[in-house]
Amino acid sequence: GAVVSQHPSWVICKSGTSVKIECRSLDFQATTMFWYRQFPKQSLMLMATSNEGSKATYEQGVEKDKFLINHASLTLSTLTVTSAHPEDSSFYICSAKDREVGNTIYFGEGSWLTVV
Amino acid sequence: GQSLEQPSEVTAVEGAIVQINCTYQTSGFYGLSWYQQHDGGAPTFLSYNALDGLEETGRFSSFLSRSDSYGYLLLQELQMKDSASYFCAVKYNNNDMRFGAGTRLTVKP
């Protein structure tokens, strides 16, 4: 089946630094990718929709200047958490929509971010 | 609105049958998906319903009633490994997807 790879799986960074998370569709082209955030024992909250070749669409309350999203190709979207703070520590997960098969959205493995 | 309601917790014993309900209030509805997530892991896709009726995949089945804005996930012959969180998710016409809060299923011996 389709595979979405997310990297890194775990990352620890210092407060004030930036960290980049990559989301790649390995065997299909994804014109649309989604970025979610999940706190422990809570649901996945959509942060933004990433469209290839255009600006991302952010959900209300999500700071676009803090969470930079780039979708430069049909197989890669990146999320950069800028000037990270401890409250940004969370599980970040991406998903990608196969442009050929519209009914299933494939998830990456997720990335655990800890800001110290 | 775009709210999804599902029970927060369900407990059942091995071999039993469990039904997890999901109601949604939304415009632009396209389909209802179900995902399973074990602690610390990524969600994995279980099923998708765009039309009314029952979809069966092995021990898991999913049902949708568009007129009632309601769906459910049915898990049969429960196994210990089925202990996880189950999320319903609505897909919209614009490809957006929103998740319910999740139902934590605990399977006991």
Side-chain angles (χ1 to χ4, degrees):
Chain A
V3 177
V4 175
S5 175
Q6 197 169 330
H7 176 82
S9 301
W10 299 83
V11 58
I12 300 174
C13 69
K14 292 184 177 181
S15 289
T17 62
S18 296
V19 61
K20 180 186 288 187
I21 302 170
E22 294 186 348
C23 180
R24 293 181 185 272
S25 57
L26 298 185
D27 54 0
F28 66 97
Q29 293 182 325
T31 53
T32 304
M33 290 185 174
F34 304 92
W35 286 96
Y36 294 86
R37 181 176 183 174
Q38 186 180 34
F39 292 105
K41 300 189 185 302
Q42 295 188 22
S43 187
L44 297 92
M45 300 302 296
L46 179 66
M47 298 176 66
T49 301
S50 172
N51 300 297
E52 187 267 337
S54 64
K55 292 182 179 180
T57 304
Y58 288 82
E59 294 301 303
Q60 190 174 6
V62 178
E63 300 176 60
K64 61 180 181 180
D65 294 329
K66 180 170 181 62
F67 299 99
L68 301 178
I69 291 173
N70 184 280
H71 194 156
S73 76
L74 286 172
T75 59
L76 173 65
S77 176
T78 61
L79 168 69
T80 301
V81 182
T82 63
S83 187
H85 290 281
E87 56 264 33
D88 298 325
S89 299
S90 184
F91 185 60
Y92 293 87
I93 191 165
C94 71
S95 66
K97 175 182 176 292
D98 187 337
R99 65 187 303 186
E100 299 297 329
V101 181
N103 291 342
T104 304
I105 293 178
Y106 303 98
F107 279 87
E109 306 97 325
S111 300
W112 287 97
L113 170 63
T114 301
V115 184
V116 298
Chain B
Q2 296 180 343
S3 64
L4 291 87
E5 298 287 335
Q6 58 181 123
S8 58
E9 294 183 16
V10 174
T11 301
V13 298
E14 272 188 299
I17 299 173
V18 118
Q19 179 174 312
I20 300 174
N21 298 321
C22 176
T23 58
Y24 57 90
Q25 298 175 354
T26 184
S27 61
F29 174 87
Y30 193 83
L32 185 71
S33 298
W34 288 92
Y35 290 82
Q36 179 193 62
Q37 186 181 32
H38 287 97
D39 288 343
T44 56
F45 173 79
L46 292 178
S47 67
Y48 175 76
N49 295 69
L51 302 175
D52 288 354
L54 188 69
E55 296 280 344
E56 298 182 68
T57 308
R59 295 187 296 115
F60 294 177
S61 303
S62 59
F63 172 83
L64 176 67
S65 170
R66 295 177 68 116
S67 59
D68 296 324
S69 297
Y70 162 77
Y72 65 73
L73 178 69
L74 189 72
L75 299 88
Q76 303 182 71
E77 301 174 19
L78 281 176
Q79 302 175 9
M80 297 296 290
K81 67 178 182 180
D82 297 330
S83 292
S85 291
Y86 293 84
F87 295 93
C88 60
V90 169
K91 181 181 178 183
Y92 298 91
N93 290 334
N94 63 357
N95 292 320
D96 194 1
M97 179 178 279
R98 302 298 171 113
F99 286 80
T103 299
R104 190 166 188 87
L105 171 64
T106 302
V107 181
K108 295 185 175 180

